[in-house]
Amino acid sequence: MPKQDLSSLQMAFSPLSVPPFFPRISVTAKLINGGVAGLVGVTCVFPIDLAKTRLQNQHGKDIYKGMVDCLMKTARAEGFLGTYRGAAVNLTLVTPEKAIKLAANDFFRHLLMEDGMQQNLKMEMLAGCGAGLCQVVVTCPMEMLKIQLQDAGRLATHHQGSAAAPSSTPCTAGSTPTHKRPSATLIAWELLRTQGLAGLYKGLGATLLRDVPFSIIYFPLFANLNNLGYNELTGKASFAHSFVSGCAAGSVAAVTVTPLDVLKTRIQTLKKGLGEDSYSGIMDCARKLWTQEGPSTFMKGAGCRALVIAPLFGIAQGVYFIGVGEWILKCSE
């Protein structure tokens, strides 16, 4: 395999690992780049992720007609900051999540491929899956807490009943909502007190079912798309090509695993609205969704999910291309 193909594979199976344009990037720089990419990405797309969660949790009569309608009603009822409910959890845990993923990916690469640089597609896929398995240690509780905070506004509107539509009782950004806003700390403490550590890991199986297939789809797809833009003169793909490749691969992978994301969201949502079902597991959730709400339910929030994932991976490519981590380390010397 040509040297450039090896570089593409290295980047493909760990987008936050050794990219082709930084062949010998240090571990510290990788962690900085991963953290910066995560923080910037979450800040940019979190409102869309909130809309995705609320759309996926809708049962029966829809409160929101789509992503735009959800964001407008959320901003009107809860203020602009209401669209960032749960963002603090993600911003706090995104850096350790990336650190675990990076360390695990490097470990499995060296374990499966001797020196970690040998080109072997199957072993690269296994390394990527191994990293995905390890990162759920942080991803699962992070998603668990985030979902409770994101869905709180929908539940408040739902419990108001049909007597008052969401848009008929608006609040300004500075006004105080009539319902009590939960906090991640209180939710986490209550789960630990009543259910122990297992409470924070509810939906672990569904999280694994979503994240592992996503990695299998995204990483090879990005490798092939990015390699199409390889320039022999520069020895790498252009920034624009890598950015678009990351966005395209992320969108395809995100939409493909949306049914699994819907199952995860429903299972991890602790508080239910009036008349909404609870689920004992993945199969019970899938059966009830299919029989009660129809097959189309499994694709709820697919567009939002694509709009969230695509920029996240595009931003990650940009952070690595610019070399933010290297620049920070150089300035600190």
Side-chain angles (χ1 to χ4, degrees):
M1 179 181 292
K3 185 176 181 180
Q4 60 267 32
D5 290 344
L6 172 59
S7 296
S8 296
L9 280 176
Q10 291 167 356
M11 179 57 186
F13 288 93
S14 180
L16 302 178
S17 187
V18 186
F21 27 80
F22 293 123
R24 285 294 177 183
I25 184 173
S26 70
V27 174
T28 304
K30 284 193 291 185
L31 296 179
I32 294 174
N33 283 333
V36 171
L39 292 172
V40 175
V42 168
T43 303
C44 291
V45 303
F46 193 84
I48 302 176
D49 186 67
L50 178 138
K52 181 217 67 154
T53 297
R54 293 190 176 186
L55 290 172
Q56 288 181 341
N57 264 329
Q58 288 194 132
H59 297 225
K61 184 179 179 181
D62 292 345
I63 299 174
Y64 310 110
K65 298 178 181 179
M67 180 187 72
V68 175
D69 182 57
C70 178
L71 292 175
M72 289 180 63
K73 287 180 177 177
T74 299
R76 186 182 301 124
E78 305 168 51
F80 173 75
L81 293 180
T83 62
Y84 277 88
R85 277 195 176 193
V89 176
N90 270 32
L91 292 172
T92 301
L93 297 178
V94 68
T95 298
E97 179 195 34
K98 293 296 182 289
I100 292 174
K101 183 174 184 177
L102 290 172
N105 182 76
D106 286 345
F107 171 78
F108 286 115
R109 283 175 60 85
H110 284 81
L111 180 66
L112 296 171
M113 295 178 290
E114 296 180 359
D115 61 355
M117 298 298 292
Q118 181 183 354
Q119 59 270 34
N120 187 314
L121 184 60
K122 292 182 180 179
M123 293 301 102
E124 290 275 7
M125 292 179 70
L126 287 175
C129 288
L133 289 170
C134 292
Q135 80 174 69
V136 297
V137 173
V138 175
T139 302
C140 190
M142 178 177 72
E143 291 271 306
M144 180 73 174
L145 296 174
K146 181 197 73 172
I147 286 173
Q148 314 317 313
L149 298 173
Q150 287 181 327
D151 203 45
R154 182 192 70 88
L155 289 173
T157 300
H158 183 92
H159 284 298
Q160 288 176 358
S162 57
S167 59
S168 65
T169 56
C171 297
T172 61
S175 62
T176 303
T178 57
H179 56 277
K180 184 179 180 181
R181 294 189 176 185
S183 72
T185 303
L186 291 177
I187 294 173
W189 173 251
E190 184 64 18
L191 286 171
L192 289 172
R193 186 181 66 83
T194 58
Q195 303 178 36
L197 191 60
L200 289 175
Y201 283 89
K202 183 178 181 180
L204 177 61
T207 304
L208 288 170
L209 283 177
R210 181 198 66 173
D211 289 350
V212 172
F214 178 91
S215 298
I216 294 174
I217 295 169
Y218 172 79
F219 295 141
L221 181 57
F222 171 77
N224 286 277
L225 291 175
N226 195 51
N227 194 51
L228 293 176
Y230 177 79
N231 189 319
E232 294 184 357
L233 295 177
T234 61
K236 62 183 179 182
S238 67
F239 168 78
H241 185 89
S242 292
F243 182 88
V244 172
S245 296
C247 289
S251 296
V252 171
V255 172
T256 302
V257 302
T258 293
L260 300 171
D261 188 57
V262 172
L263 293 176
K264 185 195 74 67
T265 299
R266 289 290 183 96
I267 291 172
Q268 287 188 320
T269 301
L270 299 177
K271 293 185 177 181
K272 305 293 183 179
L274 299 174
E276 295 182 349
D277 285 317
S278 297
Y279 311 104
S280 60
I282 297 173
M283 295 305 298
D284 179 58
C285 181
R287 179 180 59 81
K288 287 180 178 178
L289 290 182
W290 182 275
T291 57
Q292 298 176 10
E293 302 179 50
S296 62
T297 302
F298 290 94
M299 294 305 294
K300 278 187 175 182
C304 293
R305 184 162 166 76
L307 290 175
V308 168
I309 298 299
L312 283 176
F313 282 94
I315 289 169
Q317 299 301 327
V319 169
Y320 272 99
F321 195 95
I322 296 170
V324 174
E326 293 80 355
W327 179 80
I328 292 176
L329 290 177
K330 185 177 179 179
C331 291
S332 64
E333 290 179 355

